[in-house]
Amino acid sequence: MENTVVIGAQWGDEGKAKITDLLARQADIIIRYQGGCNAGHTVVADNKTFKFHLIPSGILYKDKICMIGAGTVIYPEVLKEEIENLKAENVSLDGLKISPLASVTMPYHIDIDGRSESCAANKIGTTKRGIGPTYTDKISRHGLKVEDLFDEEFLSRKLDDILTVKNKELVHIYGLEPYTKEKVFEICKKYAQILKPYVCYDWQMLFHNALKNNKSILFEGAQGVMLDIDWGTYPYVTSSNPVAGGACTGSGFGPSVPKNIIGVSKAYITRVGEGPFVTELTDETGDKIRNIGHEFGTTTGRPRRTGWFDAVVAKYSVLVSGLTSMAITKIDVFDTFDEIKVCVAYKDKRDGSVYSWYPTNVNIHKYLEPVYEIHKGWKQDLTGMKSYDELPENAKKYLERLEELIGVKISIISVGPDREQTIFKS
Ligand code: IMP
């Protein structure tokens, strides 16, 4: 397999985990490059359901290197839980590697995320996993990197600086309890123990040898393009770069390394948290999609907002991530639908102007309504179909129209949660 990046092409939860799981079979190294335990990936393998937040799901295969990269933020408590769950299922963790440069989410990040969400007038609807506050500290240079946890003298000095600022923020801005240095030091020691067996100090040699020996690298994205801190519906975004460019900055492999960039989109769209969503359905059809598609968050259990496929969003994702193909997941959710809509443009209710490219000024989205194309349903069960040829005519027409609208080929079609329920299209 050529080096491949898999990213979400919508607002996350597109079913990336299944696609990365399938491609991981052909990869030697799988590297997660951004985000933290805000992500929730579900993989069904051998009739067992595995839930991942931080560890690349490729760990389910033997003899793969699964790395949590430098661009991620790691909350060791969640990682510990994930490690224990995998051990309980006898999954080997020999291939798990953690970048010494990844950032550490501390309990005060979680305190701040929770409090800032509960007292904000304009909520983001975060997962409250401390993601934003951890990245904020990274950028303001008050963060802790994994490798900092193993040098007690350096850590002690660093904590003096960090806590001087952090405690002011906790107490005076958020009305929260301060942390003593002793307490944070103890937490850091505990985290060091959790992370220690997996920290990969020789990553440069590993990467160098992987490139020299033409090993296959799979870059696993979390969240989606529309939640990107630079390219998403700011401020209703996460704090990292889920776009394909993030695969390089967050992994340590340069931009000439990935060859394929696969965007994953559902045959419809979902979003959790606040923020604009032009094709959102707040009616019975939206409920139907939610119920058939089991659209409830893996990490938070929140019901997801649902809507029709938005080709304007898809085209934007193709552009800003340089997608070479798209994977369409959960198309079987429409098996009982009489008709299926696809948004091809937005219309401004104020003056009737039409947008066929994504308007990045999200302040105007409240004035936008979708311009829909209506497609006939196929009214057939797709879940057992194994090849593109087997698909009913109306399903093929729907997919071919999507290809035309988004401008790249659809390479993978998922017709159910299992690994076997996947159609590869050349
Ligand atoms: P945060 O990443 O927890 O800061 O949340 C910021 C926004 O991103 C919120 O709208 C979340 O619901 C959304 N978000 C974060 N992670 C995911 C994910 O894995 N899937 C879908 N939405 C996510």
Side-chain angles (χ1 to χ4, degrees):
M1 186 185 77
E2 284 197 303
N3 298 332
T4 299
V5 182
V6 175
I7 60 157
Q10 299 170 329
W11 277 283
D13 307 317
E14 300 91 348
K16 291 178 293 295
K18 177 180 157 170
I19 307 300
T20 45
D21 171 61
L22 282 167
L23 298 174
R25 204 183 295 185
Q26 305 162 51
D28 300 298
I29 298 179
I30 301 110
I31 180 158
R32 166 87 185 270
Y33 57 85
Q34 45 73 228
C37 56
N38 48 349
H41 292 168
T42 307
V43 175
V44 181
D46 303 327
N47 294 321
K48 281 188 204 152
T49 301
F50 294 88
K51 290 193 193 300
F52 295 93
H53 296 287
L54 283 158
I55 300 176
S57 55
I59 201 78
L60 297 177
Y61 296 103
K62 283 204 180 79
D63 305 325
K64 308 280 180 195
I65 289 173
C66 289
M67 184 140 180
I68 305 178
T72 63
V73 294
I74 301 175
Y75 184 39
E77 302 284 3
V78 167
L79 184 73
K80 182 172 172 242
E81 219 175 282
E82 221 169 305
I83 289 171
E84 281 167 3
N85 289 344
L86 287 168
K87 281 186 179 163
E89 294 291 348
N90 293 320
V91 175
S92 163
L93 290 158
D94 290 351
L96 178 61
K97 305 213 177 281
I98 295 174
S99 170
L101 293 170
S103 294
V104 182
T105 294
M106 298 296 289
Y108 48 77
H109 293 131
I110 305 215
D111 297 347
I112 291 172
D113 199 2
R115 178 56 65 95
S116 67
E117 271 291 292
S118 61
C119 60
N122 203 6
K123 293 189 197 317
I124 305 293
T126 75
T127 58
K128 300 189 182 167
R129 297 295 169 108
I131 306 298
T134 313
Y135 278 113
T136 302
D137 276 2
K138 170 179 164 172
I139 300 300
S140 68
R141 292 156 292 185
H142 289 120
L144 287 171
K145 297 268 180 185
V146 166
E147 62 190 356
D148 296 341
L149 302 178
F150 300 96
D151 181 338
E152 290 200 5
E153 195 203 324
F154 176 72
L155 180 64
S156 171
R157 270 187 286 127
K158 201 162 178 183
L159 288 182
D160 287 335
D161 289 342
I162 290 174
L163 289 175
T164 307
V165 176
K166 207 47 40 191
N167 278 335
K168 284 197 181 109
E169 187 184 343
L170 285 161
V171 175
H172 299 300
I173 299 181
Y174 293 106
L176 292 162
E177 289 298 312
Y179 279 76
T180 62
K181 185 174 171 188
E182 291 66 38
K183 184 168 178 188
V184 177
F185 214 81
E186 278 314 302
I187 293 170
C188 287
K189 271 197 200 157
K190 184 169 90 172
Y191 289 179
Q193 288 309 311
I194 297 170
L195 301 171
K196 197 172 178 193
Y198 310 103
V199 180
C200 178
Y201 290 105
D202 59 358
W203 64 270
Q204 292 182 51
M205 192 173 64
L206 179 81
F207 285 14
H208 172 80
N209 289 340
L211 295 174
K212 203 169 103 193
N213 298 318
N214 285 324
K215 298 284 183 198
S216 277
I217 305 155
L218 179 64
F219 299 84
E220 177 176 326
Q223 291 86 42
V225 170
M226 304 311 287
L227 287 171
D228 188 277
I229 186 79
D230 292 305
W231 300 100
T233 47
Y234 191 89
Y236 304 99
V237 291
T238 191
S239 302
S240 65
N241 284 117
V243 290
C248 300
T249 53
S251 71
F253 283 103
S256 58
V257 173
K259 303 297 174 212
N260 289 327
I261 301 169
I262 304 178
V264 185
S265 289
K266 280 195 270 222
Y268 48 93
I269 294 203
T270 62
R271 155 158 227 182
V272 280
E274 305 303 316
F277 178 3
V278 178
T279 63
E280 181 168 16
L281 293 165
T282 50
D283 58 4
E284 276 174 13
T285 309
D287 293 341
K288 188 172 169 185
I289 293 175
R290 183 177 309 104
N291 291 332
I292 301 179
H294 308 293
E295 295 297 351
F296 299 88
T298 314
T299 302
T300 59
R302 290 181 287 181
R304 294 177 183 145
R305 298 156 67 192
T306 52
W308 294 115
F309 187 91
D310 186 338
V312 184
V313 162
K315 252 185 357 183
Y316 181 74
S317 293
V318 168
L319 189 73
V320 300
S321 272
L323 300 187
T324 54
S325 75
M326 192 75 92
I328 297 288
T329 61
K330 293 190 136 181
I331 188 170
D332 54 295
V333 168
F334 288 145
D335 284 356
T336 58
F337 281 54
D338 294 322
E339 53 184 37
I340 298 149
K341 291 186 184 170
V342 175
C343 170
V344 293
Y346 301 151
K347 190 168 150 193
D348 193 321
K349 286 182 260 188
R350 294 169 299 178
D351 60 6
S353 54
V354 172
Y355 294 87
S356 54
W357 294 98
Y358 194 77
T360 53
N361 175 3
V362 296
N363 299 324
I364 66 160
H365 283 215
K366 57 180 174 291
Y367 304 116
L368 302 180
E369 59 188 18
V371 177
Y372 284 126
E373 234 178 46
I374 300 179
H375 293 258
K376 271 209 180 115
W378 39 89
K379 307 281 274 186
Q380 229 176 303
D381 180 359
L382 303 190
T383 58
M385 299 198 179
K386 304 256 180 260
S387 72
Y388 189 73
D389 289 343
E390 263 182 85
L391 291 178
E393 236 11 73
N394 283 349
K396 281 188 197 155
K397 274 192 198 152
Y398 175 71
L399 289 166
E400 279 155 25
R401 179 61 181 145
L402 294 191
E403 275 184 334
E404 204 173 78
L405 286 167
I406 64 186
V408 291
K409 67 179 176 93
I410 292 172
S411 52
I412 302 173
I413 301 148
S414 170
V415 293
D418 211 83
R419 282 176 176 166
E420 310 310 316
Q421 293 173 297
T422 313
I423 295 171
F424 288 91
K425 181 170 169 277
S426 50

